[in-house]
Amino acid sequence: MSANRCIRLFSRLQRHISARAARTSAGSCHASPGSVSVHKQHFTASLSWSRNASSNSSPPKPPDTSLFVPVSLKTDPPVDGSVGSELSQPLDKNEVLKALNRFYKRKEMQKLASDHGLDARLFHQAFISFRKYVLEVTSLPADLHIIISDICCGAGHVDDIYPYFMRHAKQIFPMLDCMDDLRKISDLRLPAHWYPEARAVQRKVIFHAGPTNSGKTYHAIQRYLAAKSGVYCGPLKLLAHEIFEKSNTAGVACDLVTGEERIFMDPEGRSAGHVACTIEMCSVTTPYEVAVIDEIQMIRDPSRGWAWTRALLGLCAEEIHVCGESAAVEFVRELMYTTGEEVEVHTYQRLTPFTVLDQAVESLDNLRPGDCIVCFSKNDIYSISRQIEIRGLECAVIYGSLPPGTKLSQAKKFNDPDDPCKILVATDAIGMGLNLSIKRIIFNSLVKPNINEKGEKQMETISTSQALQIAGRAGRFSSKFKEGEVTTLHRDDLPVLKEILSHSVDPIETAGLHPTAEQIEMFAYHLPDATLSNLVDIFVSLSQVDGLYFVCNIDDFKFLADMIQHIPLNLRSRYVFCTAPINKKQPFVCTSFLKFARQFSRDEPLTFDWVCRHVNWPLAAPKNIKDLVHLEAVHDVLDLYLWLSYRFMDMFPDTAMVRKIQQELDEVIQQGVRNITRLIRATDPAMADTLQTQGGRRAFDRLLGGRQLASGKSHGGQRSGGDSVGNSLSDRLVKDGLLTPDLLRQLQQEWSKEQSSSHQSAPDAGQSRNNKKGKRRNKK
């Protein structure tokens, strides 16, 4: 056992045992420094004991009773009629109310109820419900009627109400009677035991560790291609597509499985020996010779981390090849310790270096071919792309909500050496999944929106891991730029970037988990009247995890569950609908999701014609940014249809036709993105044209080589107001904010003709202007 391994495991040990036990363990380690084997045995025994203690002996955490929603009870008349009144006497409601209030104020009753799961909140809610029941029901059960009658007559004690109160409390809070069962169902402390098929295989785990562009995934894929059978698990559809194509090109038959798509290479639909899939879609029951899990550091992702945990613990493969950051090595070792599997580590260095520059770009006038400006908001993408094209430069645009085909099209345009497009404006969507020929990464900002552990959105400075992932795209081994450069657009951000990149990546310490459909169904068996959102809330509240795991954020799941709660669906169908990957920020997507669920609940198939009517197909090319955003939303709706079609094939039958119009829509969106600056201008005509600024005109002069225009004035000599706009081509470009290479050539030809016709007069005019400027300076 290495020293680092001992240190890491010992730090874990301290989390699970008391401080005194930790000190004792440390003391025993120092007591026999010459006996390494004895130390290892003692340490392993201590660690095993601590894990068992944390898994089996730790006291259950108290439930969050604010999640316990009381069930409405039917006040059916008792089967014994009014026997209570006949045996005793009718009740005086005022006296009954006094007796009930005395019961409520009894500290002893509150303590006794607390011991049986009713904390102060639940005790109060249960009492309000019980009091209402007693005072409003037409006829109480005979036993309760007699007890209350005796209390009102002074022949009984208010404490005698307690059994009947608790009976009522358990009726409106059914979870009180099955709390132990609910705790067992939500016990997530030993996830390695969930996958018996994987535990039956003595797996060999190989970790390929290294930074971006180090060849780690390449080596894992080579072993994958050489195997008799294999599965590749990636974080993005684009990566799965890449491996799918690479495998089939190499002569290795490979299927593709993503949430929205299935491609089988066998004409009869039989599965091939190899499959490339998005990680959520991997099978944990199919045996393989080799499995590749890419981007393992995402195991700590607040929303999707559970998928990497499931793949790492559950894949049935003789060899598990894990690719990712070195920061995950020790954590993967520790997870594999719980399965009894060792980890073999292969470390790789970056194939092409990148350098953090000492100067910021400061102005878009200083852009060079091969530059990529990274933004963290779509508005910044729109703004910067327009400013770039105003300067006569073409740019490609890539952001997360674009369809995969559009992203690939823009990447191809940027990478093509014969294409005039040499600038890329992108979000951190370029961090993985696209091969781009980038010379210089330029951070427009170092702040991006993140979701914290509570599910709250907040603006945070990017982490070292995120910065390295993006910066690593500069200079790729397979591109024409063998060395990369990294800097910022704004001068103030550069020292911050250097500070971020100077730190080592924080080691990964926890992996995500997520309740399964089976676990939620078992919860629903005990709590049949609870909503799905409430079931999940109670599950997370009661769930227990050890120090290696956390429960992933479920806000998106709950958002969808609440949206369709009023629609009559069985629990399994409801659960599947709520796991659909949709963008809840898009109103049209959410509305479509609701309509899909409603149509499904009526047992009416969602046909191609129905979908076309809903999305108003066919759709015209976008005229402004709002149109483009809507087309992206429609593409997401078609994705949702395809995603659901593989879960409910009979209800979503027209997959092929929907996929066809989705491909047509992708081409329409590509056309819109190619004309994105025109769309931006159409969206906001009042947007300030940067060429109307003095700096913009200086950039324009540089593009013209400092030439003068037909009016005899350079743009640098125009009045700062920019009010005088003539009819020449150059003036139209300034007015419209549009400058392309073709128009620039026309402008140069125009200048050449005018230059030859005024060859003699222009120098004199220029000298005259210089003399005037000199006089003005002297006056000042």
Side-chain angles (χ1 to χ4, degrees):
M1 185 181 292
S2 67
N4 289 338
R5 172 75 172 153
C6 287
I7 292 171
R8 185 167 179 80
L9 290 180
F10 185 69
S11 67
R12 292 279 186 190
L13 180 63
Q14 287 179 310
R15 298 180 187 182
H16 300 300
I17 59 179
S18 66
R20 180 173 181 177
R23 288 194 296 271
T24 304
S25 176
S28 66
C29 290
H30 292 295
S32 54
S35 177
V36 177
S37 62
V38 172
H39 165 69
K40 288 172 68 176
Q41 291 173 4
H42 171 81
F43 188 87
T44 303
S46 298
L47 181 65
S48 176
W49 175 84
S50 69
R51 288 194 184 282
N52 290 335
S54 70
S55 298
N56 301 318
S57 304
S58 58
K61 63 181 179 180
D64 181 0
T65 56
S66 65
L67 304 174
F68 292 2
V69 179
V71 175
S72 299
L73 298 181
K74 294 180 180 179
T75 56
D76 295 330
V79 292
D80 51 3
S82 57
V83 174
S85 298
E86 295 174 4
L87 293 177
S88 56
Q89 59 184 5
L91 296 175
D92 182 342
K93 297 294 185 181
N94 289 329
E95 292 300 321
V96 172
L97 181 59
K98 291 177 183 178
L100 292 176
N101 287 340
R102 291 202 306 273
F103 169 81
Y104 176 73
K105 294 176 181 178
R106 291 272 294 165
K107 298 295 183 184
E108 293 82 0
M109 293 299 96
Q110 295 178 19
K111 175 65 170 61
L112 191 60
S114 177
D115 293 340
H116 288 84
L118 281 179
D119 63 6
R121 179 199 302 271
L122 297 187
F123 183 83
H124 177 74
Q125 286 183 284
F127 174 75
I128 296 299
S129 176
F130 180 68
R131 184 177 62 187
K132 181 180 180 182
Y133 166 73
V134 170
L135 294 176
E136 294 182 3
V137 71
T138 55
S139 180
L140 287 172
D143 53 351
L144 178 57
H145 184 106
I146 293 171
I147 289 294
I148 294 178
S149 178
D150 288 347
I151 295 171
C152 292
C153 296
H157 196 280
V158 290
D159 291 0
D160 296 338
I161 296 175
Y162 178 76
Y164 304 94
F165 166 75
M166 283 302 299
R167 183 174 66 186
H168 182 87
K170 289 180 178 180
Q171 286 177 317
I172 65 170
F173 294 117
M175 60 284 295
L176 296 174
D177 245 352
C178 54
M179 191 62 68
D180 289 341
D181 291 330
L182 296 180
R183 289 189 189 280
K184 289 176 182 176
I185 296 169
S186 58
D187 191 339
L188 308 179
R189 288 174 292 186
L190 296 172
H193 293 178
W194 301 349
Y195 309 102
E197 294 91 345
R199 300 292 76 78
V201 181
Q202 187 58 39
R203 308 182 306 172
K204 180 180 180 182
V205 182
I206 299 110
F207 196 122
H208 300 268
T212 305
N213 195 25
S214 60
K216 57 185 184 296
T217 306
Y218 169 82
H219 287 87
I221 294 301
Q222 292 304 111
R223 179 66 187 96
Y224 163 84
L225 295 175
K228 295 178 182 178
S229 62
V231 57
Y232 168 83
C233 308
L236 301 172
K237 288 183 284 187
L238 284 176
L239 283 171
H241 268 276
E242 181 183 341
I243 300 304
F244 164 73
E245 293 173 357
K246 183 179 294 185
S247 183
N248 286 298
T249 302
V252 178
C254 177
D255 296 336
L256 176 70
V257 177
T258 69
E260 300 81 13
E261 190 171 13
R262 310 283 191 278
I263 299 178
F264 296 98
M265 297 310 295
D266 185 88
E268 298 180 2
R270 288 189 293 265
S271 298
H274 289 69
V275 60
C277 64
T278 45
I279 195 158
E280 287 87 353
M281 301 305 299
C282 70
S283 168
V284 292
T285 56
T286 306
Y288 299 101
E289 181 181 345
V290 169
V292 177
I293 304 174
D294 208 356
E295 305 292 351
I296 188 61
Q297 66 274 4
M298 290 191 71
I299 199 170
R300 66 176 167 191
D301 185 87
S303 300
R304 297 179 65 200
W306 63 269
W308 277 262
T309 305
R310 174 177 173 270
L312 184 59
L313 297 177
L315 282 172
C316 301
E318 298 170 21
E319 293 182 20
I320 307 287
H321 290 258
V322 178
C323 307
E325 296 175 356
S326 299
V329 170
E330 290 303 319
F331 180 71
V332 170
R333 274 200 175 117
E334 190 158 0
L335 278 189
M336 295 301 96
Y337 177 86
T338 66
T339 65
E341 295 162 340
E342 295 183 357
V343 179
E344 177 184 317
V345 180
H346 298 175
T347 304
Y348 303 86
Q349 301 300 320
R350 185 175 167 84
L351 298 174
T352 56
F354 72 81
T355 305
V356 182
L357 301 179
D358 292 327
Q359 288 186 334
V361 174
E362 297 193 16
S363 169
L364 297 179
D365 299 332
N366 299 324
L367 293 179
R368 304 194 298 256
D371 280 349
C372 171
I373 303 177
V374 177
C375 308
F376 294 116
S377 80
K378 199 183 288 188
N379 286 337
D380 288 345
I381 291 276
Y382 295 152
S383 173
I384 288 178
S385 61
R386 186 184 184 208
Q387 292 179 51
I388 289 173
E389 294 209 11
I390 283 174
R391 287 164 166 78
L393 304 172
E394 289 191 41
C395 68
V397 175
I398 297 175
Y399 50 87
S401 59
L402 287 177
T406 305
K407 290 178 186 174
L408 290 172
S409 172
Q410 291 290 296
K412 182 178 179 181
K413 177 182 175 71
F414 174 70
N415 288 337
D416 187 354
D418 298 325
D419 195 291
C421 172
K422 293 293 179 285
I423 307 295
L424 175 63
V425 184
T427 64
D428 52 345
I430 65 164
M432 58 182 76
L434 289 169
N435 292 318
L436 297 164
S437 186
I438 298 172
K439 170 64 175 176
R440 183 170 61 166
I441 287 285
I442 303 167
F443 284 90
N444 175 59
S445 169
L446 298 175
V447 177
K448 68 171 292 186
N450 276 328
I451 304 297
N452 62 19
E453 295 177 353
K454 298 179 180 179
E456 300 166 340
K457 184 177 179 180
Q458 56 188 21
M459 301 300 293
E460 289 183 345
T461 303
I462 59 174
S463 66
T464 299
S465 176
Q466 292 168 332
L468 286 172
Q469 188 78 30
I470 298 168
R473 308 302 290 180
R476 286 191 64 82
F477 181 72
S478 57
S479 75
K480 64 180 180 180
F481 300 117
K482 301 306 179 186
E483 294 186 6
E485 298 172 346
V486 180
T487 186
T488 60
L489 183 60
H490 306 289
R491 185 187 306 175
D492 294 342
D493 286 337
L494 188 55
V496 179
L497 177 63
K498 289 184 175 181
E499 174 71 13
I500 293 171
L501 294 176
S502 67
H503 296 151
S504 57
V505 178
D506 293 334
I508 293 173
E509 296 185 340
T510 52
L513 296 174
H514 193 279
T516 64
E518 291 77 12
Q519 289 169 323
I520 297 301
E521 281 180 337
M522 286 190 284
F523 249 56
Y525 173 79
H526 292 288
L527 306 174
D529 297 313
T531 66
L532 178 56
S533 179
N534 190 228
L535 283 174
V536 173
D537 272 334
I538 296 174
F539 184 97
V540 174
S541 169
L542 294 178
S543 64
Q544 296 184 72
V545 295
D546 72 11
L548 296 177
Y549 302 98
F550 67 93
V551 179
C552 284
N553 186 282
I554 55 170
D555 284 352
D556 288 350
F557 182 95
K558 287 173 53 186
F559 174 83
L560 298 182
D562 290 334
M563 189 190 303
I564 61 173
Q565 180 55 42
H566 66 287
I567 297 176
L569 295 169
N570 64 61
L571 184 66
R572 178 57 71 104
S573 297
R574 191 181 300 277
Y575 181 93
V576 171
F577 264 85
C578 294
T579 56
I582 74 170
N583 183 0
K584 66 180 184 182
K585 298 177 183 177
Q586 287 278 11
F588 182 72
V589 178
C590 293
T591 302
S592 302
F593 174 80
L594 192 61
K595 289 184 178 179
F596 282 14
R598 188 176 292 119
Q599 183 84 348
F600 180 92
S601 71
R602 296 176 185 142
D603 204 25
E604 298 177 6
L606 287 85
T607 63
F608 175 73
D609 290 338
W610 186 93
V611 172
C612 287
R613 287 196 302 272
H614 171 64
V615 301
N616 198 26
W617 184 264
L619 293 165
K623 298 178 180 179
N624 50 46
I625 287 295
K626 184 179 179 181
D627 290 347
L628 179 62
V629 171
H630 177 68
L631 293 183
E632 293 169 5
V634 173
H635 192 280
D636 286 348
V637 169
L638 300 182
D639 254 353
L640 174 63
Y641 182 97
L642 296 172
W643 190 92
L644 290 167
S645 72
Y646 290 108
R647 279 82 181 166
F648 308 105
M649 294 183 182
D650 55 334
M651 297 298 292
F652 297 82
D654 297 331
T655 305
M657 289 186 284
V658 169
R659 191 178 304 282
K660 182 179 179 182
I661 66 169
Q662 188 186 45
Q663 292 169 351
E664 295 177 18
L665 177 60
D666 198 337
E667 293 174 0
V668 175
I669 293 174
Q670 289 181 38
Q671 177 186 346
V673 172
R674 284 194 292 268
N675 299 318
I676 195 165
T677 54
R678 179 177 59 79
L679 301 184
I680 296 169
R681 194 165 56 252
T683 302
D684 187 7
M687 184 183 292
D689 191 334
T690 54
L691 278 179
Q692 295 293 86
T693 67
Q694 193 69 20
R697 294 196 180 96
R698 286 197 296 269
F700 188 77
D701 281 340
R702 281 198 293 277
L703 289 170
L704 293 177
R707 302 180 177 100
Q708 295 172 348
L709 301 180
S711 62
K713 296 182 179 180
S714 71
H715 277 273
Q718 283 184 348
R719 292 187 299 274
S720 59
D723 296 329
S724 59
V725 179
N727 294 321
S728 70
L729 176 60
S730 58
D731 288 330
R732 291 203 308 273
L733 289 173
V734 174
K735 178 181 178 181
D736 296 338
L738 181 65
L739 184 64
T740 66
D742 290 339
L743 292 177
L744 181 58
R745 283 192 291 272
Q746 294 179 34
L747 185 58
Q748 290 170 337
Q749 292 171 2
E750 176 184 318
W751 171 81
S752 297
K753 292 178 181 178
E754 292 167 349
Q755 186 74 358
S756 60
S757 63
S758 57
H759 181 71
Q760 298 296 328
S761 59
D764 296 334
Q767 183 64 42
S768 174
R769 282 193 298 275
N770 289 337
N771 291 338
K772 290 179 180 179
K773 288 181 181 178
K775 291 178 180 179
R776 284 197 296 270
R777 282 196 296 269
N778 291 337
K779 289 180 180 179
K780 291 179 181 178

